[in-house]
Amino acid sequence: MIIDFHIHTFPDKIASRTITMLAGKCHCKPYSDSSLGAQVDSMKRAGVDWSVALPVMTKPEQSLKLNTSFIENREWYLEQGIIPFGGLHPDNKDYKDEIKKLKEGGILGIKLHPAYQSVPFDDIRYMRIIECACENGLIVLTHAGWDIGIYDRNYCSVPQVLNVLKTVRPDKLVLAHMGGWADWKIVKQDLAGAPVWFDTAFSIGPVVKNPTCEEPPIVDHNLSDEDFVKLARKHGTDRILFATDYPWADQADYIQRIQGMKLTDEEKEQIFSRNALALLGDGFKA
């Protein structure tokens, strides 16, 4: 079994223009128009059994509408092989009600994105949301590290993560991009081994230039295979979740890359599905 723990998809009406805008911002090549149909086709081609779809709430008012939609359409998403997560913005004053609603609606987790929400990860508003989510048994997955399209500051740095861990002690926190995109030396030094999960989204292989942009992305390559394996083992392969960040990476290519790494069969099984199944828990029936 293969579970991709980090993908993005958009409604058909806005998918093409949304991904075009984002691709121009980060100067990276997208691998599809990010529509649900393209996602399902990608999963079939790559052999992915399940994908966790993560929303990004750039405005607090989006949460009420989108979370309700995820709950109402949960069964339909699952029929497509998609596990929908909810999302919250740090300015959601009704975050407790939203988290309760998501839990009662069978949604297993929420996504936070400090960079796109322009709020540091250790802000008290995030800590309150994370604490409440944990009390309700929800997974919290956050963008971690720099964002390839936002260069003014690192909104989810390693020191900020450590502050949250010390203050809140979350039990189901997932840090995207192997603990902190483009910050992997510090992640390996100060964060590896902490009681959190890392996902592999957009953290290995080349960063492919958007052919419609004159300028290249700010980096041309993520972690090398060797550095990925070292970081995964230092953190613990039982806390690594396979993820691609589709449509920013090709699911089939990502699977081939990890299959070709010098990991044991047991480590690959952990990364591809076993860890995800353990984290999703009894609320998910594969």
Side-chain angles (χ1 to χ4, degrees), residues 14-283:
I14 66 168
S16 182
R17 69 174 181 269
T18 300
I19 205 65
T20 298
M21 179 274 292
L22 293 171
K25 188 173 183 178
C26 67
H27 302 169
C28 295
K29 174 187 174 182
Y31 285 84
S32 83
D33 64 2
S34 74
S35 65
L36 183 64
Q39 172 64 55
V40 172
D41 288 344
S42 173
M43 291 170 61
K44 290 179 180 178
R45 177 171 56 87
V48 173
D49 298 280
W50 296 94
S51 290
V52 177
L54 304 172
V56 177
M57 307 300 184
T58 55
K59 299 176 182 179
E61 56 267 25
Q62 291 175 326
S63 297
L64 177 63
K65 180 179 179 181
L66 291 177
N67 288 336
T68 299
S69 176
F70 298 143
I71 292 168
E72 291 176 346
N73 295 287
R74 174 179 171 272
E75 291 300 325
W76 181 82
Y77 277 112
L78 292 172
E79 289 173 1
Q80 317 307 313
I82 305 293
I83 304 167
F85 271 26
L88 285 170
H89 189 282
D91 288 333
N92 279 125
K93 292 181 171 48
D94 58 350
Y95 68 92
K96 290 184 179 180
D97 292 335
E98 280 297 293
I99 288 171
K100 182 180 179 181
K101 178 178 79 175
L102 288 166
K103 178 183 179 180
E104 292 177 349
I107 303 298
L108 301 178
I110 59 170
K111 168 71 183 292
L112 305 174
H113 202 308
Y116 272 88
Q117 295 168 339
S118 301
V119 175
F121 185 59
D122 58 353
D123 186 280
I124 185 61
R125 290 168 289 176
Y126 277 135
M127 290 209 234
R128 288 169 179 160
I129 290 171
I130 294 167
E131 185 174 42
C132 184
C134 289
E135 289 172 351
N136 284 274
L138 297 188
I139 299 164
V140 177
L141 191 152
T142 182
H143 173 91
W146 296 89
D147 186 276
I148 197 167
I150 299 174
Y151 317 127
D152 62 334
R153 63 188 289 187
N154 186 342
Y155 287 90
C156 189
S157 66
V158 170
Q160 290 168 342
V161 171
L162 291 173
N163 189 25
V164 170
L165 294 181
K166 179 181 178 181
T167 306
V168 181
R169 300 183 183 277
D171 58 350
K172 291 184 178 182
L173 178 62
V174 180
L175 303 175
H177 315 298
M178 287 301 287
W181 190 77
D183 219 10
W184 294 300
K185 288 184 179 179
I186 300 174
V187 169
K188 184 178 179 182
Q189 175 181 298
D190 296 335
L191 188 57
V196 295
W197 281 261
F198 293 171
D199 83 26
T200 69
F202 202 75
S203 59
I204 57 175
V207 178
V208 182
K209 178 181 178 295
N210 183 344
T212 67
C213 295
E214 292 185 6
E215 297 181 11
I218 57 172
V219 299
D220 59 10
H221 208 283
N222 289 310
L223 286 164
S224 68
D225 290 0
E226 181 181 4
D227 287 339
F228 173 88
V229 171
K230 287 179 179 178
L231 177 54
R233 284 179 170 162
K234 184 172 183 184
H235 184 59
T237 55
D238 60 335
R239 291 250 179 175
I240 305 293
L241 303 166
F242 173 73
T244 62
D245 210 3
Y246 178 92
W248 302 110
D250 180 75
Q251 289 182 305
D253 176 70
Y254 245 60
I255 291 169
Q256 290 176 1
R257 287 183 180 278
I258 292 181
Q259 289 283 23
M261 291 181 185
K262 293 181 179 178
L263 295 162
T264 67
D265 289 344
E266 181 179 1
E267 288 172 329
K268 290 175 184 177
E269 183 181 351
Q270 288 177 322
I271 293 169
F272 278 128
S273 65
R274 194 192 304 170
N275 298 338
L277 290 171
L279 183 57
L280 291 166
D282 295 338

